[in-house]
């Protein structure tokens, strides 16, 4: 894998290889890299989990990490993303992780750039590393994807996590259903209420309401959203015994999920974050090995 831009680019065998390598890293495997590579994390949108877990993964692999701050970089003087990335390539950076508000920002880097690019989230487009850590978490739980019932709930149209996961899970044989407000449905078919979802779901994947990507401030009040689309304690009680709850976080407590449920027995929210480090180690190793 020379770059990781979208879940569209990965065949099931490649996905399984990454999950397998992540499991090895979770059991303390030694990185298989021929030299000390240098990477930089270019985050043009806020991030806690993705950025910190990439940094943790990079340190565990023994990589050099060049600090980059979008707010003090020359992009503030109008430099293009292409020129910023070309600059890093010129000074010897081997791979970059980029999060950017523009959907498909990586198309402008598709020629003329010769370093590894890992997409840390593009606008409402894709978030492949989140998807892979979600898949790892599901596999740990159920040991398979085939015929699993996965419900993705919330702001589908604006969520890169929803898109990446829906594609990947379908490719791996899971049955994916959606529940979301009509306004945020986009062009997908969705269920109209929790009633169809609660008795059959193995995995409930909640999404953050993406306020920053909404064109107008109009919409639901927090209470309205929670009542119609949130995972309430009432709904939690109707889930199957072995069902799990996921959320990529940051969580809006008492909006997408009742605050008391964030660390409940069925919640894997912090497990997802824990798993993210091993998945990102596997991805970084794969990209760096393939290139050099
Ligand atoms: C997600 C993101 O940034 O797309 N968070 C994450 O990476 N863990 C989800 C979100 O912000 O809604």
């Amino acid at each position: 894998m020379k770059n990781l831009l979208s879940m569209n680019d990965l065949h099931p065998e490649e996905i399984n290889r990454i999950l397998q390598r992540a499991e090895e890293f979770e059991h303390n495997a030694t990185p298989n890299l021929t030299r000390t590579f240098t990477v930089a994390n270019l985050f043009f949108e806020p991030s806690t989990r993705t950025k910190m877990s990439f940094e943790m993964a990079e340190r565990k692999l023994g990589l050099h990490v060049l600090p980059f701050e979008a707010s003090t970089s020359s992009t503030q003087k109008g430099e293009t993303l292409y020129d910023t990335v070309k600059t890093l390539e010129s000074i010897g950076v081997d791979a970059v992780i980029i999060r950017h508000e523009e959907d498909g920002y990586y198309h402008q880097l598709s020629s003329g750039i010769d370093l590894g690019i890992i997409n840390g989230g593009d606008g409402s487009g894709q978030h492949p590393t989140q998807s892979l850590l979600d898949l790892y978490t599901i596999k740990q739980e159920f040991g398979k994807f085939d015929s699993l019932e996965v419900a993705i709930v919330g702001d589908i149209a604006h969520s890169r996590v929803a898109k990446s996961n829906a594609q990947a899970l379908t490719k791996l044989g899971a049955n994916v259903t959606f529940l979301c407000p009509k306004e945020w449905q986009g062009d997908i078919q969705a269920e109209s209420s929790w009633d169809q979802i609660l008795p059959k779901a193995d995995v409930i994947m909640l999404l953050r309401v993406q306020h920053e990507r909404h064109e107008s401030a109009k919409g639901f009040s927090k209470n309205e959203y929670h009542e119609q689309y949130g995972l309430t304690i009432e709904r939690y009680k109707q889930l199957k015994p072995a069902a799990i709850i996921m959320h990529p976080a940051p969580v809006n407590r008492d909006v997408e999920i009742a605050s008391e449920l964030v660390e409940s027995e069925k919640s894997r929210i912090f497990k997802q974050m824990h798993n993210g480090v091993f998945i990102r180690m596997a991805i970084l190793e794969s990209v760096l090995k393939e290139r050099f």
Side-chain angles (χ1 to χ4, degrees), residues 45-47 49-50 99 120-121 123 127 130 159-161 207-210 212-213 247-250 280:
E45 276 192 346
S47 174
R49 268 151 294 275
T50 305
R99 168 171 288 189
H127 195 348
Q130 178 70 40
S159 169
R160 51 199 178 204
V161 177
L207 303 170
R208 183 179 63 86
V209 178
Q210 308 275 301
E212 72 277 27
R213 303 188 211 287
H247 189 309
R280 290 176 172 122

Side-chain angles (χ1 to χ4, degrees), residues 77-240:
K77 300 180 187 167
E79 185 171 57
T80 62
L81 181 62
Y82 178 93
D83 288 341
T84 300
V85 174
K86 193 73 191 168
T87 300
L88 296 178
E89 177 195 320
S90 309
I91 64 173
V93 172
D94 299 299
V96 287
I97 293 83
I98 305 180
R99 168 171 288 189
H100 199 280
E101 62 279 3
E102 190 184 324
D103 288 26
Y105 69 79
Y106 45 80
H107 295 303
Q108 62 192 284
L109 308 174
S110 62
S111 66
I113 298 286
D114 190 21
L115 46 62
I117 301 172
I118 299 172
N119 183 6
D122 62 295
S124 300
Q126 285 278 318
H127 195 348
T129 69
Q130 178 70 40
S131 176
L132 286 160
L133 76 86
D134 290 342
L135 296 176
Y136 185 64
T137 307
I138 294 172
K139 183 97 186 268
Q140 263 181 346
E141 203 70 36
F142 298 97
K144 61 160 197 172
F145 300 103
D146 199 37
S147 305
L148 272 189
E149 293 289 340
V150 182
I152 305 185
V153 181
D155 190 355
I156 311 279
H158 301 100
S159 169
R160 51 199 178 204
V161 177
K163 289 179 195 118
S164 304
N165 273 328
Q167 271 167 8
L169 284 161
T170 307
K171 203 156 31 182
L172 293 165
N175 299 323
V176 181
T177 49
F178 301 95
L179 170 65
C180 66
K182 277 222 161 359
E183 297 84 332
W184 302 337
Q185 191 171 322
D187 49 13
I188 54 125
Q189 294 283 328
E191 305 285 359
S192 50
S193 87
W194 277 98
D195 299 343
Q196 292 97 333
I197 287 176
L198 292 170
K200 68 169 188 187
D202 297 304
V203 178
I204 300 279
M205 198 176 270
L206 302 166
L207 303 170
R208 183 179 63 86
V209 178
Q210 308 275 301
H211 294 291
E212 72 277 27
R213 303 188 211 287
H214 296 164
E215 271 164 20
S216 74
K218 277 203 292 272
F220 298 87
S221 72
K222 289 181 177 179
N223 283 343
E224 276 166 357
Y225 184 89
H226 190 60
E227 267 165 38
Q228 286 187 56
Y229 300 101
L231 187 67
T232 59
I233 293 168
E234 254 327 288
R235 289 176 183 136
Y236 180 87
K237 288 185 190 151
Q238 296 172 55
L239 286 168
K240 293 207 295 202

